[in-house]
Amino acid sequence: METEALAAASEIDFSVLALFLRATFTVKIVMLILIGASIWSWSIIIQKFINYRKARQDADMFDRAFWSGEPLDKLYERVGAEPTGANEKIFAAAMTEWERSHRGGDLIAGAQQRIDRSMDVAIARQSEKLNNGLTFLATVGSIAPFVGLFGTVWGIKNAFEQIAIQQNTNLAVVAPGIAEALVATALGLLAAIPAVIFYNKLSADADRLIGGYDSFADEFATILSRQLDS
């Protein structure tokens, strides 16, 4: 009997596609959700790497121009109309408020505070762009294993139901249902592990970029403060 069960089990297709096709409707939905979450996570990860690399390049390029000794008004004329990088947008926001505070040749009171707020708003907008999508990675990293576990529990429940219906506990009956159930857990881990790893990596990169924007804003605010005091 055992030899016959092993022979029957060996004839069953245990490929991932076959296990998916044999799974119950609920387990199929769970698998599709996890596959979709994994694909979406990877698209966010790849896009973030591209965006962060460009942000670093833009910041380095503008820093070289800013500290080159070029007059700030000329630099503003060159980049102020259509700023592209984050530092350029922070610089343009501050210079725009600077010019508005000197209407008619007289300095309007409270210029320093308005300039600081303008740069803070620009930094907040850039921070929101950098962190956009990271919440999804965190959600996938924390929830995907439990979604996969739900699929596994449901699949095992169905396997036991088949055992009860057929009144047969040999390997040919038990193995397919258990294998189908475990695929859901595997997909949950496959979606969660990269999401957690790259969430931590991308969050740290975003924090470093935002810290660079804050440092630039502080340095620029100091320069403008000296101009205002003089």
Side-chain angles (χ1 to χ4, degrees):
M1 178 68 81
E2 184 177 351
T3 304
E4 293 176 359
L6 289 172
S10 65
E11 295 176 358
I12 299 172
D13 186 0
F14 284 98
S15 66
V16 175
L17 180 60
L19 293 173
F20 172 79
L21 294 176
R22 285 199 303 266
T24 63
F25 177 76
T26 301
V27 178
K28 284 180 180 177
I29 293 297
V30 169
M31 291 180 181
L32 290 174
I33 290 173
L34 293 173
I35 292 171
S38 181
I39 294 172
W40 194 354
S41 295
W42 277 107
S43 66
I44 292 174
I45 290 166
I46 294 171
Q47 187 62 49
K48 286 300 178 184
F49 270 106
I50 295 172
N51 292 344
Y52 288 3
R53 181 179 180 182
K54 187 177 185 302
R56 286 190 291 268
Q57 291 174 343
D58 290 341
D60 292 340
M61 187 180 301
F62 181 76
D63 283 345
R64 287 193 295 270
F66 183 81
W67 297 109
S68 65
E70 181 180 2
L72 295 181
D73 54 349
K74 291 185 179 179
L75 181 61
Y76 176 60
E77 290 176 2
R78 182 159 58 85
V79 305
E82 296 181 357
T84 54
N87 281 1
E88 289 184 4
K89 292 178 180 180
I90 296 168
F91 170 78
M95 289 299 294
T96 299
E97 186 58 42
W98 169 271
E99 290 189 347
R100 289 173 179 172
S101 296
H102 285 81
R103 286 180 179 175
D106 295 329
L107 179 64
I108 302 175
Q112 184 68 55
Q113 290 77 13
R114 289 192 299 274
I115 291 171
D116 289 342
R117 282 198 297 270
S118 297
M119 289 192 290
D120 289 341
V121 170
I123 292 172
R125 289 173 180 169
Q126 298 307 311
S127 176
E128 183 177 357
K129 289 181 180 179
L130 291 174
N131 288 297
N132 185 32
L134 296 185
T135 302
F136 180 80
L137 293 181
T139 302
V140 171
S142 60
I143 292 179
F146 297 103
V147 176
L149 181 60
F150 169 76
T152 296
V153 171
W154 193 271
I156 291 175
K157 179 186 78 69
N158 182 68
F160 281 121
E161 289 175 354
Q162 293 300 317
I163 292 172
I165 292 171
Q166 299 183 26
Q167 296 183 353
N168 190 345
T169 59
N170 66 43
L171 190 61
V173 174
V174 176
I178 301 299
E180 294 160 16
L182 292 177
V183 169
T185 295
L187 289 175
L189 295 175
L190 188 65
I193 292 173
V196 171
I197 292 172
F198 286 104
Y199 169 78
N200 293 330
K201 162 67 176 170
L202 294 172
S203 295
D205 290 346
D207 289 341
R208 280 192 292 269
L209 286 168
I210 296 169
Y213 301 155
D214 288 330
S215 297
F216 169 75
D218 291 339
E219 292 171 345
F220 190 36
T222 302
I223 294 172
L224 293 180
S225 178
R226 284 197 296 266
Q227 294 290 330
L228 291 171
D229 291 341
S230 63

